[in-house]
């Protein structure tokens, strides 16, 4: 089942006198997110990430295309019964305590009575606010607000959870806790849609990632797909390369570079890689390791965005 | 259910603000003053009103005194209405702009609530707060007049409904302005501008706006504007009649209900179209 499906979505904000200023926040954006996944949307500031979530939750209307969440059109109120949302700059009434926030907002998601009571207790414990539940929200620190926001987003045990910068302002221990929480939700079959700038974190938990820039989808795929760059391999060897090997490689136009005890090669296929290994063995070169080159998500992200800027 | 939750949240918000508490405090002071100062006294020739134990009216037969007391009640209700308009609007005008503020509106609208439902919940929340305040004052006044003058007039309790209704009509304009401007201060200024300048000019248009031109088109436009807005003055006059136990005129109430519905509907349509 698809948790999110959008097709040719576009959004142009018009503002200023007689709509003079226009911003294309999203352009021809088509995306599908399978349910039961942790999906992350990455992109520079102003790329349109929040706009995308806002369209899915009907906070903003798209100017073109269509979008469904949990098999409902986004304009359908029912679509939001089983969704949760942690907005990027959420504000709760300062005069309420953490517990009162959950108890006041729960009924708006159709959660009431003893269920609301028990969820409130469990969630406050889960996000580590148990000791703060009777303290007024205005006295909360930024990280505590974020934790409360997360609890609030989960009050209706949503099947689809939208989190806009969920770990913003949260300490490292808290972040690790939130990651565990999200993985746990995933094992329960929930879908999590994440906007984040913390790429190392995204890399740790996401099943799939999409990269957005200036309203356009640049790439979408698994973390593996986005971080492996072509067919570059590092082959670790023991000892020195015999001259005969160099000559044969030169004759067969195999290019490689060598640094101490490692060869780096760009191969067109697995067969080519194996041919090279065979050749090394024929020349009695001991092979210690073979590794496919892998960049971090951050490196891939930066090079992708740079390429985009250049073009 | 969701509407009730919205109303409850709004009431909580208002209770957390000092303004609505001050409104209740003023009511209490006026009631206490009334209870302390006002009494009636029976003399062999008839009855009279007393203020702080001093004779405040000529001795008169009972029916006449009742009429006098009723006019007093009408004056009191009129005063309360003015107070509610001035202070009640001030106390509640922030409810809708606050709900539409960035960071808060996201929380509300990401829930399975329609936008008109949010507007209605906030509107009714403010209305309930005002209703409770007016009811408190009116029940107090009813008890004081009942205990001190043995006049248990029901009309004064009914005036709670009339005053709340009039406030509801005015608050529909506030809701419209709140969605339009998303700014509490601007909404208050505009609604006061209507109350103190535009409203009275339209109400007394024969003596004011009509003088500008004799053109019939112009005059019908002015008339049109008059009927677009709730007829507060006409309702107020009719409400006073209610307290004097006279026949009420329902026409302004019906017209104002229609007008308020249009304002509310206009606000809801604007809200539906807005991007957050
Ligand atoms: N309500 C609005 N009116 C006009 N323009 C807007 C509005 N909201 C967003 N924009 C514009 O749309 C573009 C995308 O904004 P958006 O908030 O979606 O970015 P983002 O990817 O979430 O950025 P960030 O990483 O900073 O949160 C930006 O250029 C922004 O200026
Ligand atoms: Mg954003």
């Amino acid at each position: 089942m698809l948790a999110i499906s959008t097709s040719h979505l576009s959004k142009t904000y018009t503002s200023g006198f007689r709509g003079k200023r226009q911003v294309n926040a999203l352009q021809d954006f088509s995306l599908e997110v399978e349910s039961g996944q942790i999906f992350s949307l990455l992109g520079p500031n102003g790329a349109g990430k929040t706009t995308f979530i806002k369209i899915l939750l009907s906070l903003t209307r798209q100017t073109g295309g269509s979008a469904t969440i949990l098999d409902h059109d986004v304009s359908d109120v029912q679509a939001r019964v089983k969704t949760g949302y942690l907005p990027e700059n959420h504000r709760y009434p300062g005069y309420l305590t953490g517990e009162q926030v959950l108890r006041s907002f729960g009924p708006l998601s159709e959660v009431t009575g003893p269920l609301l009571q028990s969820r409130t207790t469990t969630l406050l414990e889960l996000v580590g606010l148990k000791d703060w539940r009777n303290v007024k929200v205005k006295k909360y620190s930024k990280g505590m607000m974020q934790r409360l926001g997360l609890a609030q987003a989960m009050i209706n045990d949503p099947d689809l959870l939208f989190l806009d910068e969920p770990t913003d302002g949260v300490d490292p221990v808290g972040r690790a806790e939130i990651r565990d929480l999200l993985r746990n939700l995933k094992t329960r079959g929930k879908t999590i849609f994440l906007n984040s700038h913390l790429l190392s974190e995204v890399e740790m938990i996401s099943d799939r990632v999409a990269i957005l820039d200036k309203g356009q989808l640049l790439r979408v795929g698994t973390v593996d797909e986005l971080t492996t760059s072509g067919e570059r391999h590092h082959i670790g060897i023991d000892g020195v390369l015999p001259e005969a090997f160099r000559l044969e490689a030169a004759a067969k136009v195999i290019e490689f570079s060598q640094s101490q005890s490692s060869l780096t090669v760009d191969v067109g296929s697995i067969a080519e890689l194996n041919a090279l290994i065979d050749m090394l063995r024929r020349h009695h070169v001991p092979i210690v390791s073979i590794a496919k080159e892998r960049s971090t998500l951050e490196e891939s992200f930066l090079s992708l965005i740079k390429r985009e800027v250049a073009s | 259910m969701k509407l009730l939750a919205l109303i409850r949240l709004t009431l909580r918000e208002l209770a957390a603000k000092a303004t609505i508490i001050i409104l209740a405090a003023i009511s209490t002071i006026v009631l206490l003053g009334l209870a302390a100062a006002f009494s009636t006294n029976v003399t062999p020739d008839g009855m009279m009103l007393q203020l702080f134990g001093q004779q405040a009216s000529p001795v008169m037969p009972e029916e006449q005194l009742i009429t006098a007391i009723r006019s007093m009640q009408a004056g009191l209700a009129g005063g309360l209405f003015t107070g509610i308009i001035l202070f009640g609007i001030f106390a509640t005008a922030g409810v809708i702009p606050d709900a539409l503020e960035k960071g808060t509106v996201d929380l509300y609208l990401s829930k399975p609530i329609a936008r008109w439902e949010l507007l209605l919940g906030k509107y009714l929340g403010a209305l309930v707060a005002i209703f409770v305040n007016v009811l408190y004052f009116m029940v107090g006044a009813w008890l004081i007049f009942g205990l001190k003058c043995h006049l248990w007039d029901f009309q004064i309790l009914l005036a709670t409904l009339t005053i709340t209704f009039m406030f509801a009509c005015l608050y529909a304009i506030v809701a419209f302005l709140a969605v339009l401007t998303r700014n509490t201060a601007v909404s208050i200024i505009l609604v006061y501008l209507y109350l103190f300048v535009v409203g009275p000019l339209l109400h007394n248009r024969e003596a004011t706006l009509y003088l500008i031109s004799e053109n019939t088109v112009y005059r019908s436009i002015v008339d049109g504007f008059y009927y677009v807005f709730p007829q507060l003055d006409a309702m107020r006059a009719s409400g006073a009649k209610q307290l004097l136990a006279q026949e009420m005129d329902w026409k302004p109430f019906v017209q104002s209900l229609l007008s308020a519905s249009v304002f509310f509907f206009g606000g809801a349509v604007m809200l539906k179209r807005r991007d957050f």
Side-chain angles (χ1 to χ4, degrees), chain A residues 11 13 54 57-61 77-78 80-81 83 85 87 89-93 95-96 100 104-105 107-110 112 152-153 155, chain B residues 1-3 5-6 8-10 12-14 16 101-115 117 272-276:
Chain A
K11 174 70 194 176
Y13 287 109
K54 283 185 172 178
L57 289 167
S58 194
L59 279 155
T60 290
R61 195 140 317 172
V77 172
Q78 288 304 310
R80 282 170 265 139
V81 175
T83 56
Y85 177 36
N89 295 309
H90 52 101
R91 288 179 27 172
Y92 292 100
Y95 49 84
L96 296 179
Q100 286 169 341
S104 310
F105 282 87
L108 299 181
S109 300
E110 303 178 359
T112 51
Q152 194 280 128
I155 194 75
Chain B
M1 196 60 233
K2 282 179 260 178
L3 204 58
L6 276 173
R8 207 174 323 133
L9 233 142
T10 310
R12 224 183 195 146
E13 178 186 327
L14 285 170
E101 220 170 279
K102 201 181 165 111
T104 308
V105 72
D106 309 65
L107 294 174
Y108 283 122
L109 294 184
S110 64
K111 306 286 176 194
I113 338 177
R115 292 189 178 191
E117 226 173 332
K272 193 175 159 65
R273 293 188 172 172
R274 182 141 299 165
D275 279 342
F276 290 102

Side-chain angles (χ1 to χ4, degrees), chain A residues 1 13 15 29 55 66 86 104 111 145 151-152 155 168 190 195 198 238 244 253 260 301 304:
Chain A
M1 196 183 108
Y13 287 109
S15 55
F29 192 87
I55 289 174
S66 64
L86 172 70
S104 310
V111 183
M145 280 299 265
Q152 194 280 128
I155 194 75
D168 189 24
K190 312 289 188 189
N195 276 1
L198 294 171
D238 200 14
V253 210
Q260 282 157 4
F301 176 82
L304 194 62

